[in-house]
């Protein structure tokens, strides 16, 4: 089952005195890129989250948001950062003296400045807390991957429909190519008759010229490879593994075969079908940029 690189998943749970929330979203990226926002005191969980999510997601720019609220506040203590509070008071006094301002601040005002009051909690067991976080993260990732899978199904259907259109054009080219050789033979005979009249023709020479032309415009090898590439594309789409990079390379090969047919074609109808193939290849290329 293929997956899109665009997805979203969120989970929240109360686990043993903690309310834990994990949110994950992602967009396209050539590789796995991880960014995490979480409370400073729980910074230890960032690398663990990255490792866990990367074990289940191989590509994409992933943003993760972790929030933890501790319901048990009995062991919490609010302390004053006296060094910082003293610095704020000194700075305010300097403002009063320099600009002749009125002193209208008190403890309540000072306490609202950043980091003057610090909440200290009892030491927490990081491994135990990580177990709680991982439990919630697992649910969020499950939802995230489910959304990616739904989007992947849509991408697969679109790519398969375009692959069918390519094969329709390949079939036309395979049918039309021998006809162009016959038409060339008829035109060559007609032209020679116009030039030399009823004089008997050197059939061996005509055959030789037609054979040279047929070899020049032959596209059987290219159409066989095109069919093989499309078959491989279908097998990729049924794979359980990440196949975005492989498909990108394969589409380059399909485009290369189409270009070769186009360079050989001296027939207007075949040239038009080559343009149609290249248009579908480009649309497939756009779609697979979003496949994991």
């Amino acid at each position: 089952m293929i997956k899109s690189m665009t997805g979203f998943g969120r989970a929240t749970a109360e686990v043993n005195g903690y309310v834990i929330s994990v949110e994950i979203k992602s967009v396209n990226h050539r590789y796995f890129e991880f960014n995490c926002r979480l409370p400073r005191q729980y910074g230890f969980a960032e690398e663990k989250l990255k490792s866990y999510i990367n074990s289940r997601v191989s590509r994409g720019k992933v943003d993760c948001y972790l929030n933890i609220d501790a319901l048990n506040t009995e062991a919490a203590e609010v302390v004053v950062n006296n060094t910082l509070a003293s610095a704020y008071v000194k700075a305010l006094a300097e403002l009063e003296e320099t600009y002749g301002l009125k002193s209208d601040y008190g403890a309540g005002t000072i306490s609202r400045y950043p980091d003057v009051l610090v909440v200290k909690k009892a030491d927490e067991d990081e491994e135990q807390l990580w177990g709680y976080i991982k439990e919630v993260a697992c649910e969020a990732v499950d939802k995230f991957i489910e959304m990616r899978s739904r989007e992947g199904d849509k991408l697969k259907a679109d790519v398969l429909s375009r692959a069918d259109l390519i094969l329709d054009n390949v079939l036309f080219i395979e049918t039309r190519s021998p006809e162009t050789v016959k038409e060339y033979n008829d035109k060559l005979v007609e032209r020679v008759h116009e030039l030399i009249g009823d004089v008997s023709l050197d059939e061996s020479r005509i055959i030789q010229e037609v054979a040279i032309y047929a070899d020049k415009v032959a596209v059987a090898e290219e159409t066989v490879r095109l069919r093989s590439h499309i078959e491989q594309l279908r097998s990729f789409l049924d794979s359980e593994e990440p196949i975005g990079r492989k498909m990108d390379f394969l589409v380059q090969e399909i485009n290369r075969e189409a270009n070769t047919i186009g360079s050989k074609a001296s027939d207007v109808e075949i040239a038009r079908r080559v343009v149609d193939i290249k248009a579908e290849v480009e649309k497939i290329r756009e779609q697979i940029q979003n496949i994991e």
Side-chain angles (χ1 to χ4, degrees), residues 3-66:
K3 300 181 183 69
S4 166
M5 279 193 284
T6 302
F8 176 84
R10 190 176 191 277
T12 301
E14 181 180 331
V15 187
N16 200 24
Y18 295 92
V19 176
I20 302 172
S21 176
V22 177
E23 182 178 300
I24 306 168
K25 61 181 181 179
S26 69
V27 294
N28 300 358
H29 199 275
R30 289 186 65 188
Y31 307 104
F32 178 81
E33 181 179 310
F34 183 81
N35 179 59
C36 186
R37 293 184 182 179
L38 71 172
R40 184 185 306 173
Q41 64 267 35
Y42 300 115
F44 71 89
E46 181 171 354
E47 280 301 315
K48 293 178 181 293
L49 275 169
K50 179 180 180 180
S51 178
Y52 172 67
I53 293 174
N54 194 20
S55 71
R56 302 186 62 186
V57 177
S58 63
R59 292 180 70 198
K61 184 179 183 298
V62 179
D63 290 314
C64 178
Y65 303 89
L66 169 67

Side-chain angles (χ1 to χ4, degrees), residues 64-106:
C64 178
Y65 303 89
L66 169 67
N67 188 60
I68 302 175
D69 291 321
L71 299 180
N72 181 11
T73 58
E74 294 179 359
E77 179 185 4
V78 180
V79 298
V80 178
N81 185 336
N82 288 297
T83 301
L84 188 59
S86 176
Y88 278 126
V89 170
K90 182 178 179 181
L92 290 171
E94 184 179 337
L95 285 173
E96 293 175 21
E97 182 179 349
T98 302
Y99 299 103
L101 300 175
K102 182 181 178 181
S103 175
D104 59 355
Y105 58 88

